[in-house]
Each structure stands twice: as structure tokens, then as C-alpha cells.
Amino acid sequence: MLEAITLDGSNVSAEIDAYLHHLTWGYDGVFKYGNNLDAEIVTNNLIKIKDGLLINQGRFMRIVPGSYEEIAIENGLTGVNRTDLIVAHFETDGITETFDIRVIKGTNDAGEPEYTTGDTFTGATVNELPLYAVNIEGINITSIDKKFKYIQSQKETNDALIALQERMPFFLQNDADSLLDDLNPNREE
């Protein structure tokens, strides 16, 4: 079924908008913006996630600049190790969409817990983007490990291409068509 998206009279839904962003950015992750969703141990039961912007299945979520989210971690047990995951949880029933940050509690001495991934554009209802692994030894949070990828901004991509062009002027200026053919063999002139 053909669907007009950007023609007069078309309604662009959140799902279509997310689909376009998903295709544009290509993967889920955190943008280098604000405090980059940095995590900080506050107590043995509380993690603070600072402001920033992420994308999950084309849907954006942010923690407002200058603010943070407090994430509660369940008590550990003396003599037992556990790893919990903090995830960006996106869920849809095809009509209503929800997005939040939540904790998936690990099993004692069993490594990181499982999380749900799925393509919500083809029928999956949940996709979770791991943000941090919280390592708990006994009753103490000992460390937090970043699990997400940073997404390069368009400006960073452009700057990198300009720097490459400046370092390799002969190759890019004199053999640009060959380079483009190598990068995209299906390209038409």
C-alpha cells in the first residue's frame, strides 16, 4: 500500500515521524548533547541520570537541560553480586506509545539480565535500549558501565568529512566519481 507522507492534506503521525528519524539516524543511542545522560551514583539505592537526548526506534526522549532523573536501585544482599540494567523502554500497542527509563533487576551472581529488543515498525511492541549496567557487590553499588553508543551529529559528520577532504585532496578531488562508485555501486549519475 502506497502512503503519501509529505503531500498537501497528509497527516504525519508520530509513527511516521519516528520511521523517518529511524531511517535517517540508522541506530539507537545517545546524542552528544547537554550532559550526555551521564550517570552518577548518589547512594547505594539511587542513580542520577543527567540531562541529554536519546533516540530509540526513531523516537526521541530527553531529560530536560539542567535537570536529571533519579533511578531507584533495589537493595543488594550481603555476600551476593548482582548486575542491573538501566534501559530506555519504548512500548507501543499500535495506538498509544510510552517511553520511560526503568531498571531491569539482575539475578544474583548471573551477569546482566536480558532485555527486550524488537522492530516496532514491523509488529514488535517493545524495544529497550540499554543505557547502563549497575554493578552491585553485596549492598554497595561499585560501578556503572555505559552500554549505549553515542550518535554523531550531522555537524560532527560534516566536520569529519571536511577534515578527510583536507588530508586527502588528490584522492577526493581527482577521483571523486570512483570513490562514490565504491561507496555506492548502485548510484546513478
Side-chain angles (χ1 to χ4, degrees):
M1 172 175 88
L2 182 63
E3 180 178 26
I5 295 175
T6 57
L7 299 177
D8 288 342
S10 298
N11 291 320
V12 178
S13 66
E15 180 184 19
I16 291 171
D17 185 61
Y19 185 74
L20 295 171
H21 287 296
H22 187 61
L23 294 173
T24 300
W25 295 105
Y27 57 95
D28 301 334
V30 173
F31 290 91
K32 292 180 180 178
Y33 172 78
N35 283 301
N36 307 321
L37 298 180
D38 286 343
E40 173 186 331
I41 300 169
V42 178
T43 69
N44 284 322
N45 297 101
L46 191 64
I47 304 290
K48 182 189 294 186
I49 299 185
K50 299 176 183 178
D51 63 276
L53 177 71
L54 68 83
I55 188 170
N56 182 357
Q57 296 282 294
R59 280 82 171 181
F60 291 97
M61 182 180 76
R62 76 175 184 159
I63 296 176
V64 177
S67 69
Y68 56 88
E69 287 291 310
E70 291 183 340
I71 308 298
I73 302 296
E74 194 172 312
N75 285 336
L77 298 172
T78 302
V80 179
N81 297 337
R82 187 180 85 223
T83 301
D84 293 352
L85 280 181
I86 299 174
V87 299
H89 178 93
F90 171 74
E91 189 164 350
T92 181
D93 62 8
I95 299 169
T96 303
E97 298 179 341
T98 59
F99 212 159
D100 59 41
I101 296 176
R102 61 179 60 177
V103 176
I104 300 174
K105 182 182 174 185
T107 309
N108 296 337
D109 295 319
E112 291 182 8
E114 292 185 10
Y115 57 94
T116 304
T117 60
D119 185 347
T120 59
F121 299 109
T122 60
T125 58
V126 173
N127 191 67
E128 292 175 322
L129 170 64
L131 299 175
Y132 292 99
V134 180
N135 301 301
I136 304 162
E137 294 180 11
I139 61 169
N140 298 311
I141 295 175
T142 57
S143 63
I144 306 171
D145 299 326
K146 179 179 78 70
K147 303 299 288 185
F148 58 83
K149 296 178 190 173
Y150 282 112
I151 297 177
Q152 195 168 23
S153 72
Q154 188 63 48
K155 181 184 180 324
E156 290 170 315
T157 301
N158 290 342
D159 290 348
L161 289 172
I162 289 167
L164 178 64
Q165 184 176 14
E166 289 170 353
R167 286 193 304 260
M168 301 171 58
F170 177 79
F171 179 69
L172 289 176
Q173 291 173 2
N174 296 322
D175 203 11
D177 285 334
S178 175
L179 174 63
L180 290 173
D181 288 339
D182 289 344
L183 294 174
N184 184 4
N186 298 319
R187 144 181 120 86
E188 295 181 25
E189 296 188 29

